[in-house]
Amino acid sequence: MDDDLASDRFRDLPEREQRLAALRRDGIEPIDRQGRPRVVLGDGPESRLALSTAHVRHVRQQPISDHLTLAEWKRMYLAVATANYRGWMLNTFVTVSWELSGVQHPPYIKSLHDRFTDLMRRWCRDVTTALQKSPDTRLSQQEVPFAGIWVREVGERMGLHTHLLVHVPPPLFQRFRRGARRAAHTLTETPMPDPRKGPTGKHLVRIQPLGDVADQWRVFRYMMKGLDREVLPPTMHPDFRQFLTGEFPLLKSVPQGRIEGARCGASRSIGPAARDELRRTIGLPPLWPEDFDPQGLHYGANYLNQGELARSLRQITI
C-alpha cells in the first residue's frame, strides 16, 4: 500500500483541509473543468495546492482585441447578405451568458463557445437527415442549414457572452430552442431552470424569434455596436464614411471588452466560399459594400428578393 495513503499525516490539518486531502487521495480533483471549486477552499496547504495545480494549461497565444474592425464588420454584413440571397433569413437571436454559470476562465469559455456552435451545426445536420426520411415529399426535400453569424463580447451585467444570429425554419423553432438550451446547460454542467418556479431575472441562454427581415438587420446592427470608428482608413470612400457616421452616431466606440481569439465569425454556408459557389451556379449580383452604392438598399429585403428571382429564373426551361 502507498505509504502516503496509509499514513495519518493529515490528521493535524483543519477539517476543511483534511476533506481536500481525502478528495485528492480518492482521485477527485477539488476544482472541476470549469475552474469551479467542488468544495469550499480555505487558506491551508491543501487549498493552496488545489489552486496552484488546477488545470494548468499552456494555450497558444491568441490575438486580443477591444473592438470590431471595419474588415470584420464588412465580413459579417456580406455573410448576412449571402444568407438572404440563398433564401435564409437569419430569424433567431441567441445569447449565451457563459459567466452566469460560474465559468470564469476565458480560454475555457472560448472552448465552450466553439463546442456550442458545433452542437448547433450537428443539430441542423441531424434534423436534415430526419426530414429526408419523412414520407412527406415536401419535408424530405427541405434543407436545414447551419447559417448564422456570431460575436463575442464582455458586458458589465452578463460578463463574457456570445450573441448569435441564425436561420431556423419557423416550424422547427421550438425544437431548436429546446436543443440549444439543453446544449448550453450540458456544456456548462448547470441544471436547467425549473419552470415551476416561474421566470427568473437571469438566464444562461436566451433565444428570441424575429418577425421579419427588418428585425434581422436591427439585431445585426446591435451585434456590430463594437465597431471601432476611430481608426477608419483615410482612403475610405467619403460616402461610405458618411454612412458609418450616420450608422454609429456616437463620437466614440462602445467598449465591448477585451476578447482573446476571434471576436466574430460566420458559418461556412454563408462565407466567402459559399459566395464563390453562388457566382458559379445561379449568379450573384454585386453585394454592398463590396460594390458600394451610396443610394443602395443597405438593410432591406432586396437580397431575399434577388435570390428568389435568380432561383426562379433557373427553373424556367425554354
Side-chain angles (χ1 to χ4, degrees), residues 13 36 47 52 81 91 111 118 124 132 149 168 177 189 191 271 298:
L13 294 176
R36 298 173 296 200
S47 296
S52 63
N91 57 0
S111 73
D118 185 58
C124 293
Q132 289 172 350
I149 64 172
V168 177
R177 180 161 60 180
E189 299 182 9
H298 311 132

Side-chain angles (χ1 to χ4, degrees), residues 213-244:
V213 72
D215 286 339
Q216 167 200 266
W217 287 117
R218 174 182 55 81
V219 172
F220 168 79
R221 283 179 283 182
Y222 171 76
M223 291 172 61
M224 296 294 105
K225 61 185 177 295
L227 174 67
D228 189 351
R229 300 175 293 285
E230 299 176 2
V231 293
L232 299 179
T235 57
M236 178 185 293
H237 193 293
D239 290 329
F240 192 24
R241 180 182 293 274
Q242 184 178 1
F243 166 79
L244 290 177

Side-chain angles (χ1 to χ4, degrees), residues 200-212:
T200 57
K202 295 182 178 180
H203 295 270
L204 173 64
V205 55
R206 290 181 178 271
I207 304 171
Q208 175 186 358
L210 306 180
D212 54 22

